[in-house]
Short mmCIF file of all heavy atoms in Angstrom, two decimals:
data_model
loop_
_atom_site.label_atom_id
_atom_site.label_comp_id
_atom_site.label_asym_id
_atom_site.label_seq_id
_atom_site.Cartn_x
_atom_site.Cartn_y
_atom_site.Cartn_z
N THR X 1 13.18 -2.61 -5.01
CA THR X 1 13.07 -3.36 -3.76
C THR X 1 11.77 -4.10 -3.52
O THR X 1 11.67 -5.01 -2.79
CB THR X 1 13.34 -2.40 -2.61
OG1 THR X 1 12.11 -1.45 -2.48
CG2 THR X 1 14.56 -1.54 -2.73
N GLY X 2 10.67 -3.60 -4.20
CA GLY X 2 9.41 -4.16 -4.00
C GLY X 2 8.74 -3.77 -2.72
O GLY X 2 7.67 -4.21 -2.56
N GLU X 3 9.39 -2.88 -1.99
CA GLU X 3 8.79 -2.54 -0.69
C GLU X 3 7.73 -1.48 -0.86
O GLU X 3 7.75 -0.67 -1.80
CB GLU X 3 9.80 -2.05 0.34
CG GLU X 3 10.47 -0.72 -0.10
CD GLU X 3 11.62 -0.25 0.75
OE1 GLU X 3 12.08 -0.97 1.59
OE2 GLU X 3 12.02 0.95 0.59
N LYS X 4 6.74 -1.40 -0.04
CA LYS X 4 5.63 -0.46 -0.14
C LYS X 4 6.18 0.98 0.29
O LYS X 4 6.80 1.07 1.29
CB LYS X 4 4.48 -0.80 0.79
CG LYS X 4 3.25 0.20 0.55
CD LYS X 4 2.12 -0.11 1.60
CE LYS X 4 1.32 -1.33 1.16
NZ LYS X 4 0.19 -1.46 2.01
N MET X 5 6.03 1.87 -0.59
CA MET X 5 6.63 3.29 -0.40
C MET X 5 5.86 4.09 0.61
O MET X 5 4.51 3.88 0.70
CB MET X 5 6.73 3.92 -1.76
CG MET X 5 7.66 3.23 -2.73
SD MET X 5 7.88 4.21 -4.34
CE MET X 5 6.34 3.87 -5.17
N LEU X 6 6.46 5.02 1.22
CA LEU X 6 5.80 5.97 2.14
C LEU X 6 4.72 6.66 1.31
O LEU X 6 5.00 7.14 0.20
CB LEU X 6 6.78 7.04 2.68
CG LEU X 6 7.83 6.39 3.67
CD1 LEU X 6 8.94 7.45 3.82
CD2 LEU X 6 7.33 6.10 4.98
N LEU X 7 3.65 6.93 1.94
CA LEU X 7 2.41 7.48 1.30
C LEU X 7 2.82 8.85 0.60
O LEU X 7 2.49 9.02 -0.58
CB LEU X 7 1.25 7.62 2.28
CG LEU X 7 -0.04 8.07 1.58
CD1 LEU X 7 -0.62 7.12 0.68
CD2 LEU X 7 -1.08 8.60 2.58
N ILE X 8 3.31 9.75 1.38
CA ILE X 8 3.63 11.06 0.95
C ILE X 8 4.95 11.12 0.03
O ILE X 8 5.15 12.13 -0.62
CB ILE X 8 3.72 12.23 1.96
CG1 ILE X 8 4.95 11.95 2.89
CG2 ILE X 8 2.42 12.27 2.79
CD1 ILE X 8 5.20 13.10 3.87
N GLY X 9 5.56 9.99 -0.08
CA GLY X 9 6.71 10.09 -0.96
C GLY X 9 6.50 9.47 -2.37
O GLY X 9 7.21 9.53 -3.18
N ARG X 10 5.24 8.87 -2.50
CA ARG X 10 4.77 8.36 -3.75
C ARG X 10 4.67 9.46 -4.77
O ARG X 10 4.31 10.56 -4.46
CB ARG X 10 3.63 7.46 -3.62
CG ARG X 10 3.74 6.32 -2.70
CD ARG X 10 2.39 5.64 -2.48
NE ARG X 10 2.45 4.72 -1.41
CZ ARG X 10 1.43 4.15 -0.77
NH1 ARG X 10 0.26 4.37 -1.43
NH2 ARG X 10 1.61 3.36 0.24
N MET X 11 4.84 9.16 -6.08
CA MET X 11 4.74 10.08 -7.15
C MET X 11 3.21 10.61 -7.23
O MET X 11 2.90 11.74 -7.62
CB MET X 11 5.18 9.62 -8.52
CG MET X 11 6.65 9.44 -8.61
SD MET X 11 7.71 10.87 -8.04
CE MET X 11 7.31 11.98 -9.39
N SER X 12 2.16 9.74 -6.83
CA SER X 12 0.89 10.15 -6.85
C SER X 12 0.58 11.24 -5.77
O SER X 12 -0.43 11.80 -5.82
CB SER X 12 0.05 8.97 -6.66
OG SER X 12 0.41 8.14 -5.59
N ALA X 13 1.54 11.48 -4.86
CA ALA X 13 1.23 12.49 -3.71
C ALA X 13 2.01 13.84 -4.27
O ALA X 13 1.75 14.84 -3.52
CB ALA X 13 1.91 12.08 -2.48
N GLN X 14 2.58 13.78 -5.36
CA GLN X 14 3.36 15.00 -5.84
C GLN X 14 2.38 16.20 -6.01
O GLN X 14 2.75 17.34 -5.49
CB GLN X 14 4.08 14.72 -7.16
CG GLN X 14 5.39 13.96 -6.94
CD GLN X 14 6.43 14.88 -6.41
OE1 GLN X 14 6.87 15.76 -6.99
NE2 GLN X 14 6.98 14.55 -5.17
N VAL X 15 1.28 15.97 -6.66
CA VAL X 15 0.37 17.08 -6.95
C VAL X 15 -0.15 17.78 -5.70
O VAL X 15 -0.11 18.96 -5.46
CB VAL X 15 -0.63 16.73 -8.04
CG1 VAL X 15 -1.70 17.94 -8.19
CG2 VAL X 15 0.01 16.48 -9.40
N PRO X 16 -0.88 16.88 -4.90
CA PRO X 16 -1.45 17.45 -3.68
C PRO X 16 -0.58 18.07 -2.69
O PRO X 16 -0.79 19.12 -2.03
CB PRO X 16 -2.37 16.30 -3.11
CG PRO X 16 -1.83 15.08 -3.70
CD PRO X 16 -1.24 15.52 -5.02
N MET X 17 0.57 17.39 -2.55
CA MET X 17 1.56 17.92 -1.54
C MET X 17 2.12 19.13 -2.08
O MET X 17 2.34 20.13 -1.36
CB MET X 17 2.57 16.87 -1.28
CG MET X 17 2.07 15.56 -0.43
SD MET X 17 1.53 16.09 1.26
CE MET X 17 2.98 16.68 1.93
N ASN X 18 2.75 19.12 -3.32
CA ASN X 18 3.45 20.32 -3.90
C ASN X 18 2.52 21.44 -4.07
O ASN X 18 2.98 22.67 -3.92
CB ASN X 18 4.14 19.92 -5.14
CG ASN X 18 5.48 19.39 -4.94
OD1 ASN X 18 6.19 19.76 -4.07
ND2 ASN X 18 5.89 18.37 -5.83
N MET X 19 1.32 21.31 -4.41
CA MET X 19 0.33 22.42 -4.70
C MET X 19 0.18 23.14 -3.29
O MET X 19 0.12 24.42 -3.26
CB MET X 19 -1.03 22.01 -5.26
CG MET X 19 -1.87 21.15 -4.35
SD MET X 19 -3.37 20.61 -5.21
CE MET X 19 -4.29 22.24 -5.22
N THR X 20 0.15 22.43 -2.20
CA THR X 20 -0.05 23.12 -0.94
C THR X 20 1.17 23.86 -0.52
O THR X 20 1.13 24.96 -0.12
CB THR X 20 -0.48 22.04 0.15
OG1 THR X 20 -1.55 21.16 -0.29
CG2 THR X 20 -0.73 22.61 1.49
N ILE X 21 2.39 22.99 -0.53
CA ILE X 21 3.63 23.64 -0.10
C ILE X 21 4.00 24.85 -0.99
O ILE X 21 4.36 25.88 -0.56
CB ILE X 21 4.73 22.60 -0.08
CG1 ILE X 21 4.29 21.53 0.97
CG2 ILE X 21 6.03 23.25 0.27
CD1 ILE X 21 5.27 20.30 0.93
N THR X 22 3.99 24.63 -2.35
CA THR X 22 4.45 25.61 -3.27
C THR X 22 3.50 26.90 -3.13
O THR X 22 4.04 27.96 -3.14
CB THR X 22 4.54 25.04 -4.77
OG1 THR X 22 5.31 23.93 -4.65
CG2 THR X 22 5.14 26.24 -5.67
N GLY X 23 2.23 26.60 -3.18
CA GLY X 23 1.31 27.72 -2.91
C GLY X 23 1.52 28.59 -1.81
O GLY X 23 1.50 29.78 -1.79
N CYS X 24 1.91 27.92 -0.62
CA CYS X 24 2.21 28.68 0.55
C CYS X 24 3.46 29.36 0.45
O CYS X 24 3.71 30.49 0.97
CB CYS X 24 2.23 27.75 1.66
SG CYS X 24 0.48 27.19 2.18
N MET X 25 4.45 28.84 -0.21
CA MET X 25 5.84 29.48 -0.38
C MET X 25 5.66 30.70 -1.23
O MET X 25 6.32 31.62 -1.02
CB MET X 25 6.81 28.42 -1.08
CG MET X 25 7.34 27.35 -0.26
SD MET X 25 8.30 26.15 -1.24
CE MET X 25 9.58 27.06 -1.83
N LEU X 26 4.78 30.62 -2.30
CA LEU X 26 4.57 31.72 -3.05
C LEU X 26 3.70 32.87 -2.49
O LEU X 26 3.78 34.04 -2.77
CB LEU X 26 3.90 31.35 -4.42
CG LEU X 26 4.80 30.44 -5.36
CD1 LEU X 26 3.90 29.95 -6.46
CD2 LEU X 26 6.09 31.33 -5.88
#
């Protein structure tokens, strides 16, 4: 689409977001 993606939806946000969420889930 060429549209700017949501910040937390970008693949570059995967590590910081998932480490926080997964760490808390565990």
